[in-house]
Amino acid sequence: MSADRPFEGELKERAEPPGVSIVIPAYNEESVIRQCLIAAIYQSVPAKEIIVVDNLSKDRTAKIVRRMQQEYPESPIILLKQADVQGLIPTRNYGLNSATGDIIGRIDADSVLEPDWVEQVQKAFADPTVQAATGPVVYYDMPMRRFGLKADDKMRQLMLRLAKHQYHFLFGSNMALRRSAWETIRDEACLDEKDEMHEDIDLSLHLAEHDLRIQYWPQMVSGMSARRLEDSPRDYRYYVTRFDRTYKAHNVKKMALKAPMVVFFSVYFPAKLLRAIHAANGVSGGVRRGGL
């Protein structure tokens, strides 16, 4: 019997990693959905399924996805329609409920995953105590991408320290969670019918209420657009103060958690200027793989 033990251990080491589903809520995303899907397809480890949930789009979003299903028949692209109600949260929930992978990734339609994203997600969840994971982002339509990625990573690391590792916050453009963790919180997650909160922070706080561990994984990198900077100062302020409204909904009063609001407010005008100069210089808004 003792001679069999090393072989048994080797089998455990070679156990197949969990399948990863990628869920992409989409509303009028014809300008970005193709690049998002291309990045999701060309992964070092393929996703089990790539689910686009169209939420009453009035543009060519669904048509583009159907065309890509024909162009890439070997890729597991699934197009679903959530037509009951307009809104990100019900659309997100529809996609998460439909996913069949053991791990469910959730990104935005303007996200552009790094080529090893699925592989890094599997590594993040190799620890069975990890129930959800998130990573940094690189803004692909801004200058100084490498600096931006490092700055984003440092900010998220700082947030963990300020929260004394009590709260780990997911980032909706780059996150994943175990299907079992989603099933635990899905009936509790706020529907936010007034659209006042950050839905990813809400998910994080519900996970925390069940002591479900969230891991920050720096190697899990996604690109995203800085198009939020196109918002007016008033709209941008409303977006940033969603942090406060989400905390209040959960009766979270830790002052250190207001740090992201300070950071977002402070970078708005200089980042908006950088983006305008970047565009004026005729730099393409297209995506460079590797994000750097």
Side-chain angles (χ1 to χ4, degrees):
M1 293 294 291
S2 60
D4 292 337
R5 284 174 186 164
F7 179 70
E8 291 172 358
E10 188 176 344
L11 282 178
K12 289 180 180 178
E13 288 180 6
R14 295 181 181 179
E16 187 173 339
V20 177
S21 300
I22 300 175
V23 172
I24 309 166
Y27 171 66
N28 289 347
E29 299 287 5
E30 65 179 9
S31 65
V32 292
I33 192 63
R34 181 177 179 85
Q35 67 182 19
C36 177
L37 288 175
I38 290 290
I41 290 169
Y42 287 104
Q43 289 286 308
S44 57
V45 173
K48 179 178 182 180
E49 56 195 359
I50 304 168
I51 302 172
V52 179
V53 188
D54 179 45
N55 180 214
L56 299 169
S57 293
K58 298 175 178 63
D59 65 359
R60 298 185 305 123
T61 297
K63 184 178 180 179
I64 292 170
V65 175
R66 286 192 290 267
R67 184 186 304 156
M68 293 194 68
Q69 287 175 318
Q70 296 174 349
E71 291 180 21
Y72 299 89
E74 74 286 354
S75 297
I77 301 173
I78 299 170
L79 176 62
L80 302 178
K81 180 174 288 189
Q82 192 285 103
D84 292 336
V85 61
Q86 188 79 67
L88 172 60
I89 291 177
T91 305
R92 176 204 70 188
N93 292 356
Y94 193 90
L96 296 181
N97 287 333
S98 301
T100 62
D102 293 325
I103 308 298
I104 310 173
R106 186 280 209 226
I107 61 175
D108 288 332
D110 67 347
S111 298
V112 179
L113 301 176
E114 289 293 288
D116 64 344
W117 189 84
V118 170
E119 184 178 354
Q120 291 297 335
V121 168
Q122 290 178 334
K123 289 179 180 179
F125 285 88
D127 181 343
T129 68
V130 172
Q131 298 299 311
T134 195
V137 298
V138 55
Y139 292 95
Y140 54 72
D141 50 4
M142 289 286 286
M144 301 183 293
R145 293 184 182 92
R146 185 181 299 275
F147 172 79
L149 175 60
K150 288 181 178 179
D152 189 84
D153 175 54
K154 293 297 184 184
M155 185 189 76
R156 296 181 195 283
Q157 300 273 16
L158 175 62
M159 278 305 304
L160 285 175
R161 291 196 295 273
L162 288 174
K164 297 182 179 178
H165 293 266
Q166 179 181 357
Y167 294 108
H168 293 225
F169 290 141
L170 297 170
F171 186 37
S173 296
N174 183 15
M175 59 166 277
L177 68 166
R178 292 193 192 275
R179 183 151 49 93
S180 57
W182 167 242
E183 290 169 351
T184 298
I185 67 169
R186 64 182 174 187
D187 293 332
E188 303 170 6
C190 298
L191 294 177
D192 189 21
E193 294 173 349
K194 294 182 179 180
D195 191 23
E196 295 179 332
M197 298 191 292
H198 279 308
E199 50 89 20
D200 45 6
I201 304 297
D202 174 68
L203 285 184
S204 306
L205 292 170
H206 282 290
L207 289 166
E209 288 165 7
H210 288 271
D211 294 320
L212 296 173
R213 180 184 167 206
I214 299 173
Q215 175 71 42
Y216 178 69
W217 195 258
Q219 297 81 22
M220 179 180 156
V221 180
S222 174
M224 69 173 290
S225 172
R227 57 184 178 174
R228 175 67 61 185
L229 293 171
E230 297 172 5
D231 287 356
S232 68
R234 180 179 178 179
D235 288 344
Y236 186 81
R237 177 181 175 80
Y238 188 83
Y239 168 76
V240 174
T241 54
R242 285 175 181 269
F243 282 101
D244 214 22
R245 290 189 290 276
T246 310
Y247 298 150
K248 287 179 180 178
H250 287 266
N251 198 31
V252 173
K253 299 178 181 179
K254 188 179 286 289
M255 287 298 295
L257 298 182
K258 293 183 180 291
M261 297 172 60
V262 176
V263 172
F264 276 110
F265 278 133
S266 65
V267 303
Y268 173 68
F269 287 108
K272 193 178 183 72
L273 178 60
L274 269 178
R275 181 172 164 84
I277 295 172
H278 191 59
N281 286 338
V283 181
S284 172
V287 179
R288 183 190 309 172
R289 296 315 308 279
L292 307 177

